[in-house]
Amino acid sequence: MPETAAERYVGLMSGTSLDGIDGVIVEFDGDRFAALVGQLHHPYPAPLRRRLLEISIDQPAIMLREFTALDVAIGQAFADAAVALLDHCRVDPSTIKAIGSHGQTMFHDGAAGQTLQMGDASRIVAATGIATVADFRRLDVALGGQGAPLVPAFHHALFSHATEARCALNLGGIANITVLPAGGNDAVIGFDTGPANGLMDEWTQRCTGQPYDEGGVFAARGIPDEALLAALLADPYFALPAPKSTGRDYFRLGWALQRYPALLQLKPEDVQASLAQLTVRSIVTAVRAAQTETARLIVCGGGARNVHLLEQLAEALPEVAIDTSAACGLAPDVIEATAFAWLAMRRLRGLPGNLPSVTGARRAVPLGSVLLGA
C-alpha cells in the first residue's frame, strides 16, 4: 500500500431499527475525519430480520443452538456487507487499514451493566482479510459505564467546533442527544432520550403492514391524544438523570399498551400521531433541560427522513435552528457507521473512544477488540 497522509477505514453499523447494515469507507487524516469515500446499505435477509426483531423486542428464551446460529448469520451478513461495499466502491481491500464493526445489539441494560452485540467478527476477517475491530461496548460497561451511547464522542469530534451551543440528535430506533457547548469544550454529555423510530415502526407495521411510516405521512393524518401522551410521558425513565441508556425491549408496543390499555380504542392514525409527539416532547424536554442556550439541533439517523417529525420538532423548538447533518458535510444515514470506523481508528492508535461524561465509565479508554487480518 503506498504511503499517504490519510488512512482508509470501513465502518459497519446496524442500529435498533434492524433494517440492515450501513457500510461506509472513510478517510482519516491523523485522528480527524477527512472524507467519505463511499457508502452502501445492505439489507438483512427478510427471515433473519423478522427473527432479530422478535428477539430484540420480545426477549424470548432461545436455545443455545439458535443463539450460536444467529451469531454466525449476523456475522456473515456483516461480512457480506463489507464485501459488497468494497466491490460497489471499487476499492482494493489492501488499501483499508481496518474495519470497525458494531454488530447487532440484541439486548442492552446499561444500568444493570449488561449489553450484547451479536455478529461473529471473524466472519468479516475471513471474507475480507482485513483487520477488524468489534465488541466496542463491554469495556466501558466493565468500567462502570452504560456502554451507550457511544456516538456522542464522534459527534463531539465532528460538530463541536463552533461558537454556538449545539445538540446533535440521533433518530434511530431509540433517540439520543449529544450536548455540545459553545466553543468546542469538553463538557459534553449525551444520553438516550427515549423512543424514536422503533415504537412508531411497530405500530405502523401492525396497522398498515408497512415496515415504517415513510415521511411521517401516517402520523400526519392523526391528532395526538393527550391522555395517551400523559400516560406514556409519566414513565420514570424520562425523569432519570444522565447517564442513561435504553433499548427497544423497553420502549415497545407492549409497554405503551401496559401504560394505556385504552390505546387500541383510538384511531390508528391518532396513535401514530401520539407516538410521534412522544418522541418530540421527550427530545424537547431533554434538550431544554440539558442546555438552555442550544442554538442549533443537528439531526442524523434514519429518522432524519421523517418530514413530519422534523416539522413537529421545529414547531416545538422555535428558538432553535434545525438542520440535518448534511448541512455539516456528512449525510444523516452515514453518521453512525462513520462513528464506528472512527472508533476503530482510535482503537488502533491507542486513543480513547468513550466519553465518561456521557457513559459514566470511571475513565476514558480505547474501545473494541482487535482481530488481525488473515
Side-chain angles (χ1 to χ4, degrees):
M1 175 177 175
E3 294 261 337
T4 60
E7 291 181 332
R8 286 184 173 181
Y9 285 76
V10 166
L12 301 174
M13 172 68 187
S14 177
T16 50
S17 292
L18 288 118
D19 54 350
I21 301 154
D22 290 316
V24 295
I25 300 173
V26 293
E27 290 184 349
F28 296 105
D29 187 356
D31 63 352
R32 297 181 62 182
F33 172 78
L36 173 68
V37 176
Q39 67 185 95
L40 187 68
H41 178 74
H42 187 80
Y44 276 129
L48 177 59
R49 181 176 189 266
R50 281 195 298 271
R51 187 56 177 152
L52 295 181
L53 278 169
E54 289 171 359
I55 294 171
S56 64
I57 294 172
D58 297 334
Q59 297 293 311
I62 65 173
M63 299 296 289
L64 186 58
R65 181 176 293 276
E66 182 183 13
F67 180 93
T68 54
L70 285 171
D71 190 46
V72 170
I74 297 168
Q76 190 59 53
F78 271 75
D80 293 344
V83 171
L85 172 68
L86 292 165
D87 288 346
H88 174 75
C89 298
R90 299 181 180 180
V91 169
D92 184 339
S94 69
T95 66
I96 304 296
K97 181 76 172 180
I99 296 172
S101 175
H102 173 265
Q104 183 64 62
T105 295
M106 299 303 298
F107 179 78
H108 182 82
D109 185 344
Q114 300 174 10
T115 191
L116 176 65
Q117 286 71 47
M118 294 179 68
D120 180 7
S122 295
R123 301 278 165 166
I124 302 172
V125 176
T128 65
I130 301 170
T132 299
V133 186
D135 192 19
F136 286 96
R137 299 190 185 272
R138 289 196 291 181
L139 180 55
D140 184 89
V141 170
L143 288 166
Q146 296 264 329
L150 293 183
V151 178
F154 181 60
H155 288 162
H156 177 243
L158 196 63
F159 300 136
S160 67
H161 307 291
T163 57
E164 62 188 4
R166 300 176 169 187
C167 282
L169 167 64
N170 179 63
L171 291 171
I174 297 295
N176 59 69
I177 62 168
T178 305
V179 181
L180 303 167
N185 71 56
D186 293 328
V188 178
I189 61 171
F191 54 91
D192 291 344
T193 61
N197 303 332
L199 191 53
M200 292 187 285
D201 289 352
E202 263 197 274
W203 183 248
T204 299
Q205 177 73 47
R206 177 182 178 129
C207 296
T208 71
Q210 298 301 309
Y212 61 94
D213 181 11
E214 186 169 359
V217 173
F218 184 27
R221 294 206 308 262
I223 299 172
D225 185 279
E226 292 299 329
L228 170 58
L229 273 167
L232 299 183
L233 286 166
D235 187 280
Y237 179 83
F238 297 112
L240 287 175
K244 61 179 179 177
S245 57
T246 188
R248 284 189 68 173
D249 59 304
Y250 187 90
F251 286 113
R252 56 194 293 267
L253 189 54
W255 164 82
L257 287 166
Q258 184 177 37
R259 296 202 66 84
Y260 196 77
L263 180 150
L264 295 178
Q265 299 170 23
L266 301 174
K267 293 180 180 179
E269 61 268 29
D270 290 350
V271 174
Q272 186 72 356
S274 302
L275 298 180
Q277 266 299 300
L278 172 66
T279 296
V280 169
R281 294 189 192 182
S282 54
I283 290 168
V284 168
T285 299
V287 168
R288 286 184 169 153
Q291 185 173 243
T292 56
E293 65 273 23
T294 297
R296 185 172 299 275
L297 189 66
I298 303 167
V299 184
C300 49
R305 295 191 297 270
N306 188 322
V307 176
H308 174 71
L309 196 62
L310 295 194
E311 288 174 347
Q312 295 295 298
L313 277 168
E315 185 176 317
L317 288 168
E319 74 281 11
V320 177
I322 298 178
D323 297 311
T324 73
S325 60
C328 300
L330 201 56
D333 55 353
V334 301
I335 292 286
E336 286 198 294
T338 304
F340 283 93
W342 181 82
L343 286 168
M345 174 272 294
R346 292 183 70 83
R347 176 65 183 86
L348 294 192
R349 290 173 176 265
L351 300 171
N354 60 336
L355 289 174
S357 61
V358 171
T359 67
R362 290 190 291 274
R363 64 179 186 273
V365 289
L367 298 178
S369 300
V370 182
L371 287 78
L372 299 179

